[in-house]
Amino acid sequence: SSGINAEYGGTGVAYAAVVYGGAILTVCPGGFSSYVQLAESYAPGAGVMLAIKSVVVWPLVYHTLNGFRHLAWDMGKGFKITELYRSGWTTFGASLALSFLLAAFL
């Protein structure tokens, strides 16, 4: 449970880095899309680009889903140790799957 909590904080930092990094790239010469095209030109294949996009979007998805988990805690739900582990691993697995799906469509 403490590992999942640390992961939540870490993804918050990564979330901020992605948002601020994207914002900075929008004001750089060429704009954000030119840097995405540059990354796509260096990637050896579509699978690698999908993996890169998944890694970039995962902190956003995990942090959002885990926020819903925290809202449930605010309502007094899910404090038994088995429920904590189940909801933690469910959040982790769902965030991986949703990140992959989002990356596939971005």
Side-chain angles (χ1 to χ4, degrees):
S1 157
S2 62
I4 291 173
N5 195 28
E7 204 170 69
Y8 184 59
T11 57
V13 171
Y15 186 1
V18 167
V19 169
Y20 288 121
I24 289 169
L25 286 178
T26 61
V27 297
C28 288
F32 183 79
S33 61
S34 68
Y35 293 100
V36 172
Q37 290 173 351
L38 179 67
E40 288 175 341
S41 71
Y42 284 120
V48 173
M49 198 62 200
L50 180 62
I52 292 170
K53 288 179 179 180
S54 296
V55 168
V56 169
V57 79
W58 180 75
L60 307 162
V61 173
Y62 179 81
H63 201 75
T64 302
L65 292 180
N66 210 35
F68 288 115
R69 183 173 172 237
H70 277 79
L71 287 174
W73 291 349
D74 290 343
M75 293 185 292
K77 309 280 186 199
F79 283 113
K80 294 179 184 171
I81 196 70
T82 56
E83 293 171 342
L84 285 172
Y85 282 110
R86 186 175 338 138
S87 66
W89 285 109
T90 301
T91 300
F92 183 77
S95 69
L96 289 176
L98 190 55
S99 296
F100 181 76
L101 286 172
L102 283 173
F105 291 104
L106 292 177

